[in-house]
């Protein structure tokens, strides 16, 4: 049933079957006038009466409306022309009409919809009426929206509140990370005097020299870089631990399958770490080497553009190392041939196994010297992974002695600094953590340690120290707790690696410019 307010002419709609024999008291959503609605019409509390408006399908011409009734003459105007105005008026009443108009709020939503679709006016009314069907009195109708959340119960309300808070925290965290990534990182035009060798301070201008190597520690004084690198390496370590956990189980079933899965774990570790470090390498090239403003967001865009080179170059070393492991596993499996044949073959192929081991060791050493430089080569030459490897080989061929000398100096500088700062802090922290947890948990601590997944044992040893004792796994809960313990312990190792790798990578960028005899900007 459609009707207009007899005082202001605002259109309303309400299902006629919900009106009782004594009528239904409502409030106009526009002017707040008190209305008593009967099946035969609308009556104000002061006695004024208005005739119901015609159905939506009927003609709406002005000649059909009674000319003597001013409220009816005003009715067509809000329904035909000022549709946006009706919606704007309907959106404001909740503020002034605090308690009594609350029952009419469902009707307001229903009225705001039909002007958009003129003919199907009955459909939008059927949905909002589902909330106030039971309340015949205005008080009950006003309490209906409030009673709906209460029907959820305590746990339902708690769940909704937790979900809302979690969503809000997630959104704000994402926004803050985006803001931090887009914030400019100042160019390092002035190097702190403390970042220099004793008696050999670097010059602000001129060519890059060995005196500039202590500048590598400047990356540690930017909290954004340290946090970004730590989070990225933490994700890489967790992925590596999970894959190695799977590899240990597969190795017990099929040796070669376990070896392949283990290699995949190293691939995941190096791929994620390479991307994270490439972002920081771009920031170092811009802010430290070229002394220009930059952002982490720009570093991410650059790393995506050269992703194949950034990830492909270190993966080449991983493929060589993984291939050696697989070949050694295949040759070792020949020893299972029965009848003594396997033992003879294994003994005869031992020289090959030894040579493969030496090749794996040489690959690790080559990666140790090349990886601090390869990101600078990609930034400078902009080549593919294969071209980057060729450029690295040519670089060591033409400047091998200088590269090795400056790289060893960088290693000694970073190693000595870590030996008197990071390593003692890790040792003290590991002993303290192990002692506190062992004293607090006692046998339960041992149960958690015994349930550690294979891929996370090293992380927990790093966080809690050596000398841990093990016993039989007690149950599923211990396995879950041990897994979470291993993931959490990986965060400490990620922080330490971030401190070392940021310094080592920055020193590699400086070494690259020293070898090529380039001047500072």
């Amino acid at each position: 049933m459609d009707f207009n307010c007899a005082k202001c002419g605002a259109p309303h709609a309400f299902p006629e079957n919900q009106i009782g024999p004594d009528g239904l008291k409502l409030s106009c959503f526009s002017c707040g006038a008190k209305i008593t609605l009967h099946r035969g019409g609308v009556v104000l509390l002061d006695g004024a009466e208005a005739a119901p408006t015609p159905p939506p399908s009927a003609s709406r011409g002005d000649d059909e409306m009674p000319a003597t009734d001013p409220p009816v003459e005003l009715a067509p105007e809000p329904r035909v022309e000022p549709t946006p105005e009706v919606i704007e008026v309907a959106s404001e009443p909740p503020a002034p009409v605090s308690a009594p108009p609350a029952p009419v709020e469902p009707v307001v939503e229903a009225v705001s919809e039909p002007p958009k679709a003129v003919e199907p006016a009955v459909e939008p009314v059927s949905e909002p009426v589902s909330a106030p069907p039971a309340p015949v009195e205005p008080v009950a109708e006003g309490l209906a929206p409030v009673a709906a959340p209460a029907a959820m119960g305590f746990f339902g309300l708690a769940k909704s509140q937790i979900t809302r808070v979690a969503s809000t925290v997630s959104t704000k965290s994402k926004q803050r990370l985006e803001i931090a990534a887009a914030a400019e990182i100042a160019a390092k035009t002035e190097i702190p005097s403390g970042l220099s060798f004793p008696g050999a301070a670097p010059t602000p201008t001129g060519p890059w020299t060995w005196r500039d190597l202590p500048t590598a520690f400047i990356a540690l004084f930017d909290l954004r870089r340290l946090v970004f690198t730590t989070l990225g390496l933490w994700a890489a370590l967790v992925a590596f631990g999970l894959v190695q956990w799977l590899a240990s189980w597969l190795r017990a079933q099929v040796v070669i399958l376990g070896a392949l899965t283990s290699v995949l774990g190293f691939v995941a570790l190096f791929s994620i770490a390479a991307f994270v470090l490439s972002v920081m390498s771009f920031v170092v090239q811009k802010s430290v080497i070229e002394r220009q403003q930059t952002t982490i967001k720009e570093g991410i865009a650059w790393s995506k553009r050269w992703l194949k080179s950034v990830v492909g170059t270190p993966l080449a070393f991983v493929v060589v190392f993984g291939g050696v492991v697989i070949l050694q596993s295949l040759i070792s499996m020949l020893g299972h041939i029965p009848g003594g044949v396997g033992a003879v073959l294994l003994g005869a192929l031992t020289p090959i196994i030894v040579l493969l081991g030496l090749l794996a060791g040489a690959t690790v050493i080559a990666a140790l010297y090349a990886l601090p430089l390869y990101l600078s080569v990609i930034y400078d030459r902009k080549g593919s992974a294969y071209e980057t490897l060729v450029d690295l080989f040519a670089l060591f061929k033409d400047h091998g002695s200088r590269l090795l000398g400056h790289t060893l100096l960088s290693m000694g500088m970073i190693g000595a600094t870590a030996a008197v700062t990071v390593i003692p802090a890790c040792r003290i922290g590991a002993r303290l953590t192990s002692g506190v947890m062992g004293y607090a948990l006692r046998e339960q601590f041992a149960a958690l340690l015994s349930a550690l997944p294979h891929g996370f044992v090293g992380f927990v040893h790093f966080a809690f120290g050596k000398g841990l004792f093990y016993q039989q796994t007690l149950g599923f809960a211990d396995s879950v707790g041990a897994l979470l313990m291993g993931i959490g312990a990986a965060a400490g190792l990620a922080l330490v690696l971030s401190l070392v790798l940021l310094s080592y990578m920055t020193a590699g960028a400086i070494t690259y410019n020293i070898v090529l005899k380039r001047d500072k900007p």
Side-chain angles (χ1 to χ4, degrees):
M1 174 176 150
D2 296 339
F3 61 95
N4 297 331
C5 176
K7 183 176 181 181
C8 66
H12 294 73
F14 199 88
E16 190 172 355
N17 58 0
Q18 298 294 330
I19 302 175
D22 298 333
L24 182 64
K25 292 183 180 180
L26 301 172
S27 297
C28 176
F29 69 84
S30 179
C31 64
K34 304 299 181 178
I35 300 173
T36 301
L37 179 62
H38 296 276
R39 296 192 180 185
V42 181
V43 181
L44 292 174
L45 295 182
D46 57 2
E49 180 173 352
T53 58
S57 60
S59 175
R60 298 182 182 179
D62 294 338
D63 53 340
E64 296 182 9
M65 306 300 292
T68 58
D69 195 351
V72 178
E73 291 178 359
L74 298 176
E77 296 181 2
R79 296 181 63 99
V80 178
E81 298 179 358
T83 301
E85 299 178 3
V86 175
I87 296 175
E88 292 176 2
V89 173
S91 62
E92 296 177 358
V97 185
S98 57
V104 191
E105 289 183 1
V107 179
V108 174
E109 297 179 3
V111 176
S112 61
E113 293 290 341
K116 299 179 181 178
V118 178
E119 296 183 1
V122 179
E123 295 181 3
V125 176
S126 61
E127 294 181 2
V129 173
S130 59
V136 181
E137 299 179 0
V139 178
E141 194 174 358
L143 293 177
V146 182
M152 300 171 60
F154 173 78
F155 293 103
L157 287 174
K159 181 180 179 181
S160 63
Q161 290 296 326
I162 292 174
T163 303
R164 182 179 62 83
V165 171
S167 176
T168 303
V169 172
S170 176
T171 303
K172 290 185 177 180
S173 300
K174 183 178 179 181
Q175 292 175 351
R176 290 178 180 178
L177 287 176
E178 291 178 353
I179 293 173
E184 288 188 352
I185 296 177
K188 304 302 180 183
T189 55
E190 296 183 1
I191 306 301
S193 58
L195 298 181
S196 62
F197 291 115
T203 58
T205 59
W208 292 93
T209 64
W210 61 272
R211 294 180 177 86
D212 297 293
L213 287 177
T215 309
F217 293 116
I218 202 169
L220 306 182
F221 294 92
D222 189 342
L223 184 60
R224 284 173 294 175
R225 285 189 250 186
L226 186 60
V227 171
F228 179 85
T229 309
T230 302
L231 292 177
L233 294 181
W234 188 15
L237 290 174
V238 171
F240 175 75
L242 292 175
V243 176
Q244 292 302 317
W245 183 20
L246 177 61
S248 65
W249 180 81
L250 292 176
R251 193 177 294 113
Q253 312 299 323
V254 181
V255 177
I256 187 63
L257 189 58
L260 289 173
T261 307
S262 180
V263 172
L264 289 178
F266 282 97
V267 170
L269 174 64
F270 277 87
S271 299
I272 301 175
F275 181 82
V276 173
L277 293 178
S278 68
V279 175
M280 292 298 101
S281 177
F282 176 86
V283 174
V284 167
Q285 291 289 341
K286 285 292 185 181
S287 61
V288 178
I289 303 301
E290 298 179 1
R291 297 179 181 178
Q292 297 179 5
Q293 301 285 346
T294 187
T295 63
I296 295 179
K297 193 173 183 179
E298 293 177 357
I300 295 175
W302 180 85
S303 300
K304 290 180 178 179
R305 188 181 308 120
W306 298 100
L307 183 62
K308 293 182 178 180
S309 301
V310 166
V311 177
T313 304
L315 283 185
F317 295 96
V318 177
V319 168
V320 173
F321 184 84
V324 169
V325 173
I326 293 174
L327 285 177
Q328 285 184 329
S329 300
L330 291 174
I331 295 174
S332 300
M333 290 179 64
L334 296 177
H336 294 291
I337 299 177
V341 178
V344 175
L345 285 176
L346 187 61
L349 295 176
T350 299
I352 297 179
I353 297 177
V354 173
L355 291 177
L356 288 174
L358 293 177
L359 177 60
T363 303
V364 173
I365 297 301
L368 186 64
Y369 285 100
L371 290 181
L373 303 170
Y374 92 96
L375 291 171
S376 298
V377 173
I378 295 176
Y379 182 85
D380 190 29
R381 307 290 179 88
K382 298 178 175 58
S384 62
Y386 175 76
E387 293 171 342
T388 302
L389 290 172
V390 172
D391 291 337
L392 284 172
F393 180 79
L395 193 65
F396 275 94
K397 180 181 177 182
D398 298 336
H399 310 281
S401 59
R402 298 188 66 193
L403 281 174
L404 291 176
H406 287 89
T407 303
L408 290 175
L409 181 60
S410 301
M411 290 182 181
M413 174 188 68
I414 297 173
T417 304
V420 297
T421 56
V422 178
I423 295 178
C426 292
R427 300 274 298 184
I428 295 173
R431 289 186 176 275
L432 177 64
T433 305
S434 178
V436 170
M437 294 190 68
Y439 178 80
L441 298 177
R442 299 184 184 276
E443 292 81 4
Q444 188 176 358
F445 183 49
L448 291 175
L449 296 177
S450 66
L452 277 174
H454 176 74
F456 295 91
V457 172
F459 305 156
V460 175
H461 279 184
F462 174 83
F464 299 149
K466 300 292 184 179
L468 303 176
F469 59 93
Y470 298 87
Q471 62 182 29
Q472 295 294 325
T473 303
L474 298 183
F476 176 76
D478 296 309
S479 300
V480 175
L483 176 62
L484 296 177
M485 179 186 292
I487 294 175
L493 181 59
L495 175 60
V496 175
L497 289 177
S498 299
L499 296 173
V500 176
L501 291 178
L502 278 176
S503 304
Y504 193 44
M505 180 188 59
T506 308
I510 297 173
T511 299
Y512 181 76
N513 286 271
I514 293 175
V515 170
L516 296 182
K517 299 180 180 180
R518 292 182 175 177
D519 293 333
K520 302 172 185 176

